[in-house]
Amino acid sequence: ILNVEQSPQSLHVQEGDSTNFTCSFPSSNFYALHWYRWETAKSPEALFVMTLNGDEKKKGRISATLNTKEGYSYLYIKGSQPEDSATYLCALRSGSSNTGKLIFGQGTTLQVKP
Amino acid sequence: NAGVMQNPRHLVRRRGQEARLRCSPMKGHSHVYWYRQLPEEGLKFMVYLQKENIIDESGMPKERFSAEFPKEGPSILRIQQVVRGDSAAYFCASSPPNSGENTEAFFGQGTRLTVV
């Protein structure tokens, strides 16, 4: 059974703080690692799809890195804003297909206080 | 291009009734996935379908649950004889065909099923 772990489970920061959280996954049979942002009462929104060891991706103040050999990915948010408050999910796609199922972690819930 | 549409958004069923959840994928998407979020838990994979075919149903409970994605029309997740433990949020996602290794899955807003 594939297990994707995220830490911490929740995080409270002040506006302007930079923060990061971790996604750990089994490194064998890796295909891709997805990050999603999920606001309450909305649908999960794709942030990044990462496939190569050493990948770094950036979207505004949010960036992510990937280490497939040791099985982890970091998500960074620089200068957190209240609108960044959401649950951040990572999901592993393994095997050889780009359409196989995604296995999700439990998420990290970020609360940014103004 | 409308996103992934799920309906109904909220569904209340009495124990023993049937629940039918619908998912219309994004235009041009031929892959549909169903996920379930139980209270206080994360998203759990249930089933992956392409048009008229079930590709992976490794996350589906063996009894009472079924899914289809017909040639025409939305994908349907059907739960027969619902029990209180089926109360959860059910999410559908869709992906386009053959988009390479960076294929994204786009999610709907979910159907919240409450069994009373």
Side-chain angles (χ1 to χ4, degrees), chain A residues 35-39 41-47 87 89 104, chain B residues 6 43 91-93 105-110 112:
Chain A
W35 280 101
Y36 284 86
R37 180 172 178 275
W38 193 5
E39 287 183 75
K42 295 187 177 179
S43 50
E45 173 197 347
L47 286 173
T87 296
L89 300 171
F104 281 85
Chain B
Q6 289 189 248
L43 287 169
F91 288 88
C92 169
F106 296 83
F107 279 81
Q109 290 191 282
R112 275 146 185 86

Side-chain angles (χ1 to χ4, degrees), chain A residues 63-85:
Chain A
S63 60
T65 61
L66 178 67
N67 183 323
T68 60
K69 292 185 178 177
E70 295 182 40
Y72 64 83
S73 176
Y74 294 136
L75 189 81
Y76 301 90
I77 302 178
K78 187 178 176 183
S80 304
Q81 299 296 308
E83 57 265 29
D84 295 329
S85 298

Side-chain angles (χ1 to χ4, degrees), chain A residues 2 8 12 15-17 19 38 41 60 62 66 75 94 105 107-108 111:
Chain A
L2 293 172
H12 295 253
E15 183 176 353
D17 287 350
T19 186
W38 193 5
I62 304 177
L66 178 67
L75 189 81
S94 55
T108 293
Q111 190 73 32

Side-chain angles (χ1 to χ4, degrees), chain A residues 2 6-7 11 29 34 54 56 67 76 81 90 92 95 98 101-102 106 110:
Chain A
L2 293 172
Q6 290 188 248
S7 62
L11 199 51
N29 217 19
H34 295 234
E56 284 189 38
N67 183 323
Y76 301 90
Q81 299 296 308
C90 69
L92 173 70
N98 63 341
K101 65 188 176 191
L102 291 170
Q106 295 276 78
L110 174 67

Side-chain angles (χ1 to χ4, degrees), chain B residues 5-100:
Chain B
M5 304 300 292
Q6 289 189 248
N7 67 81
R9 292 287 307 278
H10 300 275
L11 183 62
V12 179
R13 284 286 177 267
R14 294 186 186 281
R15 279 180 295 170
Q17 289 185 319
E18 178 179 287
R20 284 183 160 242
L21 287 62
R22 291 175 203 78
C23 169
S24 296
M26 287 178 72
K27 190 175 179 182
H29 287 195
S30 55
H31 304 266
V32 165
Y33 309 80
W34 285 94
Y35 289 82
R36 175 165 66 171
Q37 184 189 30
L38 292 166
E40 307 301 321
E41 293 190 19
L43 287 169
K44 302 294 184 193
F45 170 78
M46 297 181 77
V47 63
Y48 161 33
L49 309 105
Q50 293 180 25
K51 285 284 186 181
E52 300 184 278
N53 286 304
I54 295 174
I55 307 302
D56 181 351
E57 55 182 348
S58 56
M60 284 280 267
K62 294 283 183 279
E63 295 174 353
R64 303 186 297 108
F65 284 72
S66 62
E68 62 176 14
F69 187 18
K71 192 176 178 182
E72 302 290 338
S75 175
I76 306 285
L77 180 69
R78 184 178 173 213
I79 311 172
Q80 293 179 289
Q81 298 174 317
V82 296
V83 300
R84 286 226 171 99
D86 297 332
S87 296
Y90 292 82
F91 288 88
C92 169
S94 72
S95 290
N98 302 320
S99 295

Side-chain angles (χ1 to χ4, degrees), chain A residues 11-56:
Chain A
L11 199 51
H12 295 253
V13 301
Q14 288 292 138
E15 183 176 353
D17 287 350
S18 292
T19 186
N20 65 84
F21 14 97
T22 306
C23 173
S24 303
F25 52 87
S27 53
S28 60
N29 217 19
F30 174 89
Y31 189 89
L33 196 282
H34 295 234
W35 280 101
Y36 284 86
R37 180 172 178 275
W38 193 5
E39 287 183 75
T40 305
K42 295 187 177 179
S43 50
E45 173 197 347
L47 286 173
F48 305 114
V49 181
M50 308 178 79
T51 56
L52 298 175
N53 185 44
D55 244 355
E56 284 189 38

